């Protein structure tokens, strides 16, 4: 079966089930690029044709032009079958979240989320993240061994993100945390991710009903009170997307950062003394090992040329975030440099760098880039109108950085319990996450 809109290239099949050994994602992206051009035809899950954008400049163009590459699935070709229960796009064809809208409707809902998350006090959030991280570590600190994925990287972000929805003693908030942990596991091929997404939506609806009766100091209550007059359906759908993507991103970010710190010898000498090494590691992960590898969900609104390929109106376009970050044409952008400098952004025609200088203009913290001494022109948080809101990026960084730093402080001699090449990645095209990260340490 040929790729969408093309009779010239046979698509590559991706997202086969089953775990695979750890390896270099960049090597896989180089192998994909052996095909002509930075845009290639692929077949997701054996029967869903799409164009996979691998080039940094091309992906930047797609993200910057929603009028040509829309997020609204109503523009998809009738020949491109996308089930409402397809794991990468749960809910397509049902109620639409802000992720699946464009134009004024998207801006109205996006701004409400941006405003509400911007009200989160990051200092209190860090204190909360420290408390949660300590409580999670307490459960295995005396054992001398643990799986830092299931017992740590999945637990900390779920508990901290859920706390944004209400007080700790609310059992409905506890259920949100449980749902978020389940959601991480449901990204596996064959798992019913759509049910997980809808379960989260329904639990958020329960909390929303409670907040309508008794408002509190939480993101649900603040969305209810927002002047954009977000509807009940919009609140629960949009928060399900924000929390769901946030959970997958932060869980993967924590796990991948810990793997890097425990396996890369260049960090070994700094682990005992270095917050700087943690900042360098989590920044490097976003460039080289980003949790969100491929994002589905753009459709061409008209026939268009992109990366030497002719894309037909209605064709699905998938965003190869990890491949774009490792694009050799802009590789210099990944190296640390003076604040504000960004070869990658210049090559793309002015991508948002999110450096400390850029943060001052946008009101964002920009702390990762500033502290690590490197630019953040990676596309791991997206770009354009659908980029991850800056407050959400800051929340994700605070949780990730706090989790990693507290773990290394509490367990200073933690080390892998298996050879590095025995670690296994989840077998999915969409996310970059380990199945387990077994470690040993002195019981405390």
């Amino acid at each position: 079966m040929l790729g969408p809109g093309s009779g010239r290239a046979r698509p590559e099949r991706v997202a086969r089930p089953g775990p695979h050994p750890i390896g270099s994602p960049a090597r896989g992206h180089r192998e994909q690029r052996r095909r002509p051009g930075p845009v290639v035809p692929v077949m997701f899950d054996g029967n869903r044709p799409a164009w996979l954008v691998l080039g940094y400049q091309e992906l930047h163009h797609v993200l910057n032009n929603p009028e040509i590459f829309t997020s609204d699935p109503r523009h998809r070709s009738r020949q491109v079958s996308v089930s409402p229960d397809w794991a990468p796009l749960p809910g397509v064809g049902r109620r639409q979240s802000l992720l699946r809208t464009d134009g004024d409707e998207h801006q109205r809902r996006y701004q409400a989320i941006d405003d509400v998350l911007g009200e989160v006090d990051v200092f209190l959030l860090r204190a909360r993240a420290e408390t949660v991280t300590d409580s999670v570590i307490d459960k295995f600190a005396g054992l001398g061994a643990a799986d830092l994925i299931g017992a740590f990287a999945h637990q900390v972000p779920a508990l901290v993100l859920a706390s944004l929805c209400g007080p700790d003693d609310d059992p409905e908030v506890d259920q949100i945390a449980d749902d978020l942990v389940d959601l991480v596991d449901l990204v596996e091929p064959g798992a019913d991710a759509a049910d997980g997404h809808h379960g989260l939506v329904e639990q958020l609806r329960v909390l929303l009903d409670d907040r309508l009766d008794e408002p509190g100091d939480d993101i649900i209550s603040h969305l209810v009170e927002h002047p954009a007059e977000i509807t009940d359906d919009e609140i629960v759908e949009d928060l399900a997307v924000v929390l769901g993507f946030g959970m997958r991103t932060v869980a993967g970010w924590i796990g991948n950062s810990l793997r890097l710190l425990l396996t890369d010898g260049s960090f070994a000498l700094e682990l005992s003394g270095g917050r700087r090494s943690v900042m360098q590691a989590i920044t490097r992960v976003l460039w080289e090992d980003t949790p969100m590898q491929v994002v589905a969900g753009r459709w061409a609104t008209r026939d268009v040329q992109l990366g030497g390929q002719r894309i037909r109106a209605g064709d699905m376009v998938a965003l190869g975030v990890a491949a774009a970050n490792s694009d050799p044409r802009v590789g210099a952008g990944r190296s640390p440099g003076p604040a504000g400098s960004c070869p990658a952004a210049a090559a793309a025609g002015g991508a948002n760098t999110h450096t400390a200088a850029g943060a001052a203009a946008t009101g964002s913290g920009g702390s990762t880039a500033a502290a690590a001494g490197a630019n953040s022109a990676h596309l791991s948080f997206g770009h354009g109108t659908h980029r991850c809101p800056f407050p959400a990026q800051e929340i994700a960084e605070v949780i990730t950085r706090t989790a990693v730093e507290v773990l290394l402080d509490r367990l200073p001699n933690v080390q892998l319990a298996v050879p590095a090449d025995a670690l296994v990645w989840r077998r999915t095209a969409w996310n970059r996450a380990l199945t387990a990260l077994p470690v040993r340490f002195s019981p405390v």
Side-chain angles (χ1 to χ4, degrees), residues 220-350:
I220 299 176
S221 299
H222 294 169
L223 278 174
V224 170
E225 299 163 357
H226 195 275
E229 298 182 346
I230 308 299
T231 69
D232 291 359
D233 281 347
E234 290 170 346
I235 288 174
V236 296
E237 292 288 342
D238 293 351
L239 280 181
V241 165
V242 170
L243 293 174
F245 266 88
M247 177 63 191
R248 294 185 183 112
T249 299
V250 178
W253 199 1
I254 292 172
N256 294 356
S257 297
L258 288 171
R259 182 200 70 84
L260 178 63
L261 287 163
L262 294 173
T263 61
D264 190 320
S266 65
F267 289 101
L269 295 178
E270 297 187 41
L271 281 181
S272 60
R275 303 260 173 178
R276 174 176 166 80
S277 66
V278 171
M279 292 305 304
Q280 289 174 327
I282 67 175
T283 302
R284 182 167 155 187
V285 162
L286 290 181
W287 272 110
E288 301 179 2
D289 226 3
T290 184
M292 303 301 290
Q293 296 273 298
V294 177
V295 180
R298 295 291 194 278
W299 289 270
T301 59
R302 57 179 173 82
D303 292 358
V304 64
Q305 292 284 336
L306 181 69
Q309 302 280 13
R310 185 177 184 184
I311 298 176
R312 304 281 188 178
D315 283 355
M316 183 191 298
V317 176
L319 315 177
V321 175
N325 284 347
S326 63
D327 189 335
R329 296 177 298 172
V330 291
R334 297 192 298 275
S335 302
S341 67
C342 183

